[in-house]
Amino acid sequence: MEKSLTKTLVFQLQPEKERLLSDAYHEARWVFNQTIQLAKDGMDWDDISPRLEDEADLVKNTTQRIVAKAIDALEQSYDRDDYNMPSHEKTGPYPLRMNFTEGYNLTLEDDGIHYRISAKPYNPVKGTLRGSPDNLELLQQALGSDEWRVGTAEAMTRNGNHELHINVTHLEATVRDTHDARTVVGVDINEDCVALSALREDDIVDSVVIDYPEIKQKRHRYFTMRKRMQNAGQTAFDHVFEDKEKRYVHDQLHQVSRRIVEWVQQFESPLVVFEDLKHMRDSIDYGTRMNRRLHSLPFHKLRSFVVYKAAFEGVPSDDIDPTYTSQTCSFTGCEHTARSNRRKNRFKCTACGRQDHADRNPAVNIAKKGLESLNRNVPALKTLPTVRKLRQQASGCVNQPTVTHPTVRGHQADGIVGVSD
């Protein structure tokens, strides 16, 4: 199956006119804020861009792209009942969003790839891209091939450095058909971990839990800091912390998604299967504090990162009905379903007594439903492999066993040893 796949390549900039680029970032912030303000004041969205194109000290095409991004943020907020409504009072730099050959251009030279960014009208910023060899090679391939398209880019400042994030699209990438899959990998995404279970028609192959508690901890820390800033009336610091949180979570989810795809690739003709959580927000009501935590979780973002990274490796993705996946015992012959089966980090079937990691169990059920959707034989599961846990840290994933020897294949945990918290 052929489909278009887009990937974002990150490069470092060493601009000759750094001050000019920095001024353009702040002008971009003004355009974004004005867009949000005018929209809130009731101005027709179609009239905002023409007005700001004349008022902003930016190339018109760049202004159009920034306005479009602001309106897209508004639309997403409206779709979520005004949750995470974009603010028009933020300060500081904002990325320059540009179209290829209009807001920015790239040229291949013997000494590298040269860029030209139209930061201000008739006043470009020039230089040579710096980045990883893989990204430079892929961008060079995209610039010289009809099978690739170089799309929009964003120039921004991060950690005091100027960067250019370029979207490249493979127009005819090949992704295996879902019905050609030999191994189905069930993915259960949670607040502080993601569980993966790989099944074939004859047996379960392997399973793993990738922990990322730092994301939950950091998000809670930033929420507490922003709350204190709001109570003190210091909204400027509030927005700074919010931006830092988004950048941190975005970077961490990219790392986690890479680990997931690397793990999936080891199996024969894999298919990645997720729960269909499109209407999850409508069914969640656990009180103000818990609702805030669950509604703001980046489930969709992590899933989208996994899907497109897997697609670039030719691995297809699909989804299944999530009903009772976390409450049903995954053992064949039992499959007892009850809310009481799951207690925090433990799954203990009230019918057969089997214990499991509370997130590995639904990952197995997701994989089983994935096999059923393909009209494949679902293996009779009477034992499950040892749960392995990988801890996502700054230096990468670290093996962290979560069961002791008495819980390996065919043995039950006794409450003293076995599945850890």
Side-chain angles (χ1 to χ4, degrees), residues 81-212:
D81 298 325
D82 293 343
Y83 174 77
N84 201 21
M85 176 66 69
S87 171
H88 63 276
E89 297 179 345
K90 290 187 178 181
T91 58
Y94 188 79
L96 287 176
R97 191 173 180 84
M98 307 162 290
N99 279 344
F100 183 52
T101 71
E102 295 181 83
Y104 79 106
N105 207 347
L106 302 169
T107 55
L108 289 173
E109 303 289 347
D110 292 338
D111 59 342
I113 302 175
H114 292 216
Y115 65 86
R116 182 182 187 275
I117 297 174
S118 300
K120 295 292 184 72
Y122 310 109
N123 207 345
V125 175
K126 301 178 181 179
T128 303
L129 292 180
R130 298 286 183 265
S132 69
D134 289 342
N135 281 357
L136 288 168
E137 182 180 352
L138 184 54
L139 180 56
Q140 184 175 359
Q141 179 183 357
L143 289 169
S145 173
D146 293 335
E147 295 181 356
W148 289 82
R149 182 181 68 239
V150 180
T152 57
E154 288 189 344
M156 64 183 70
T157 178
R158 186 166 64 169
N159 299 326
N161 300 315
H162 296 281
E163 295 182 352
L164 187 65
H165 295 204
I166 303 174
N167 290 328
V168 294
T169 301
H170 195 299
L171 301 175
E172 300 177 356
T174 301
V175 180
R176 287 190 300 272
D177 190 272
T178 56
H179 292 281
D180 294 334
R182 300 292 300 276
T183 308
V184 174
V185 180
V187 181
D188 183 53
I189 301 175
N190 302 279
E191 187 178 15
D192 53 7
C193 72
V194 58
L196 309 170
S197 292
L199 267 67
R200 287 199 297 256
E201 290 186 278
D202 55 346
D203 199 2
I204 183 170
V205 184
D206 198 2
S207 61
V208 70
V209 176
I210 300 177
D211 267 340
Y212 42 82

Side-chain angles (χ1 to χ4, degrees), residues 19-74:
R19 179 59 182 274
L20 181 61
L21 198 53
S22 297
D23 290 345
Y25 297 150
H26 287 84
E27 188 71 8
R29 170 63 69 185
W30 180 85
V31 171
F32 183 92
N33 287 347
Q34 284 294 105
T35 302
I36 302 300
Q37 179 66 71
L38 292 172
K40 289 180 178 179
D41 289 343
M43 187 173 185
D44 190 296
W45 290 3
D46 292 334
D47 297 333
I48 296 177
S49 185
R51 171 172 169 174
L52 295 183
E53 289 169 27
D54 295 331
E55 297 180 2
D57 188 18
L58 293 172
V59 175
K60 286 189 176 182
N61 178 262
T62 298
T63 303
Q64 292 169 2
R65 300 279 64 77
I66 297 171
V67 170
K69 187 173 181 179
I71 290 177
D72 182 62
L74 280 172

Side-chain angles (χ1 to χ4, degrees), residues 93-359:
Y94 188 79
L96 287 176
R97 191 173 180 84
M98 307 162 290
N99 279 344
F100 183 52
T101 71
E102 295 181 83
Y104 79 106
N105 207 347
L106 302 169
T107 55
L108 289 173
E109 303 289 347
D110 292 338
D111 59 342
I113 302 175
H114 292 216
Y115 65 86
R116 182 182 187 275
I117 297 174
S118 300
K120 295 292 184 72
Y122 310 109
N123 207 345
V125 175
K126 301 178 181 179
T128 303
L129 292 180
R130 298 286 183 265
S132 69
D134 289 342
N135 281 357
L136 288 168
E137 182 180 352
L138 184 54
L139 180 56
Q140 184 175 359
Q141 179 183 357
L143 289 169
S145 173
D146 293 335
E147 295 181 356
W148 289 82
R149 182 181 68 239
V150 180
T152 57
E154 288 189 344
M156 64 183 70
T157 178
R158 186 166 64 169
N159 299 326
N161 300 315
H162 296 281
E163 295 182 352
L164 187 65
H165 295 204
I166 303 174
N167 290 328
V168 294
T169 301
H170 195 299
L171 301 175
E172 300 177 356
T174 301
V175 180
R176 287 190 300 272
D177 190 272
T178 56
H179 292 281
D180 294 334
R182 300 292 300 276
T183 308
V184 174
V185 180
V187 181
D188 183 53
I189 301 175
N190 302 279
E191 187 178 15
D192 53 7
C193 72
V194 58
L196 309 170
S197 292
L199 267 67
R200 287 199 297 256
E201 290 186 278
D202 55 346
D203 199 2
I204 183 170
V205 184
D206 198 2
S207 61
V208 70
V209 176
I210 300 177
D211 267 340
Y212 42 82
E214 293 81 7
I215 296 180
K216 174 183 174 181
Q217 295 164 5
K218 185 79 74 171
R219 290 174 66 243
H220 180 69
R221 175 171 173 266
Y222 276 124
F223 173 79
T224 303
M225 295 168 70
R226 293 203 313 272
K227 198 70 176 178
R228 291 174 180 172
M229 293 297 102
Q230 291 170 357
N231 293 337
Q234 300 181 15
T235 56
F237 287 103
D238 169 32
H239 297 322
V240 169
F241 289 135
E242 183 180 4
D243 288 341
K244 286 185 176 180
E245 177 191 352
K246 288 181 179 178
R247 290 196 297 270
Y248 173 82
V249 172
H250 184 86
D251 180 66
Q252 289 296 307
L253 293 183
H254 266 301
Q255 294 185 39
V256 173
S257 60
R258 280 198 294 271
R259 297 291 178 182
I260 293 173
V261 174
E262 288 173 359
W263 190 83
V264 169
Q265 283 184 269
Q266 66 180 302
F267 305 111
E268 180 184 6
S269 302
L271 167 67
V272 183
V273 179
F274 301 88
E275 293 177 300
D276 184 356
L277 300 177
K278 291 179 181 178
H279 304 292
M280 178 191 70
R281 297 183 190 276
D282 299 333
S283 60
I284 288 181
D285 188 11
Y286 298 136
T288 303
R289 182 173 178 273
M290 199 63 185
N291 283 352
R292 172 189 62 79
R293 284 170 51 187
L294 295 180
H295 281 302
S296 61
L297 286 176
F299 291 119
H300 178 72
K301 178 173 285 189
L302 178 55
R303 170 181 169 152
S304 64
F305 286 175
V306 173
V307 168
Y308 95 76
K309 285 182 171 65
F312 262 95
E313 304 300 332
V315 178
S317 303
D318 203 354
D319 52 46
I320 54 91
D321 180 3
T323 305
Y324 303 125
T325 54
S326 63
Q327 300 177 19
T328 302
C329 179
S330 57
F331 266 17
T332 305
C334 178
E335 298 184 345
H336 174 66
T337 301
R339 180 175 295 182
S340 57
N341 282 349
R342 179 165 184 164
R343 298 178 181 177
K344 295 184 178 180
N345 293 332
R346 300 278 185 93
F347 180 93
K348 184 175 181 179
C349 180
T350 56
C352 71
R354 184 184 70 88
Q355 292 191 47
D356 199 352
H357 189 288
D359 299 314

